[in-house]
């Protein structure tokens, strides 16, 4: 099981989401602790990190396998996140 670290900027982005979207994304982030590379995740090109899709929203995160840690960098709508 990986530990989760959510950066302050990502917490602010999460807080600004609609409630129904917030709950879905929160659950997906929790699932990352069990499986940091779920089906459908993609390694980003042009920058470090991975992304998962939750509807029209994206979660950008890094995986530190040697420390068993996941760092959530950004959460946002797909038109704004990249």
């Amino acid at each position: 099981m990986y530990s989760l670290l959510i950066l302050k900027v990502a917490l602010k982005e999460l807080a600004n989401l609609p409630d129904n979207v917030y709950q879905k994304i929160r659950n997906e982030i929790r699932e990352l602790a069990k499986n940091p590379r779920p089906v459908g995740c993609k390694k980003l090109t042009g920058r470090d990190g991975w992304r998962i899709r939750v509807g029209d929203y994206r979660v950008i995160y890094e995986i530190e396998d040697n420390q068993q840690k996941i760092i959530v960098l950004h959460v946002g709508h797909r038109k704004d996140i990249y």
Side-chain angles (χ1 to χ4, degrees):
M1 187 109 164
Y2 284 67
S3 62
L4 286 171
L5 173 65
I6 303 175
L7 296 183
K8 199 178 273 191
V9 66
L11 285 173
K12 286 182 182 180
E13 292 166 345
L14 270 171
N16 292 330
L17 297 176
D19 285 338
N20 60 338
V21 174
Y22 170 82
Q23 291 177 7
K24 288 179 187 175
I25 291 177
R26 180 194 63 197
N27 292 339
E28 290 295 323
I29 289 173
R30 287 181 180 165
E31 289 297 315
L32 288 175
K34 298 175 189 169
N35 180 10
R37 295 175 184 89
V39 174
C41 76
K42 291 206 175 180
K43 178 108 173 78
L44 297 177
T45 58
R47 70 187 267 192
D48 290 336
W50 295 77
R51 73 120 167 106
I52 57 171
R53 293 175 37 186
V54 184
D56 286 339
Y57 291 83
R58 304 293 183 262
V59 177
I60 307 295
Y61 63 99
E62 290 181 349
I63 303 170
E64 294 184 5
D65 286 314
N66 57 346
Q67 296 178 355
Q68 295 277 300
K69 187 185 337 181
I70 294 173
I71 304 167
V72 177
L73 305 173
H74 291 286
V75 178
H77 194 276
R78 65 188 181 117
K79 68 179 179 174
D80 301 324
I81 199 74
Y82 301 110

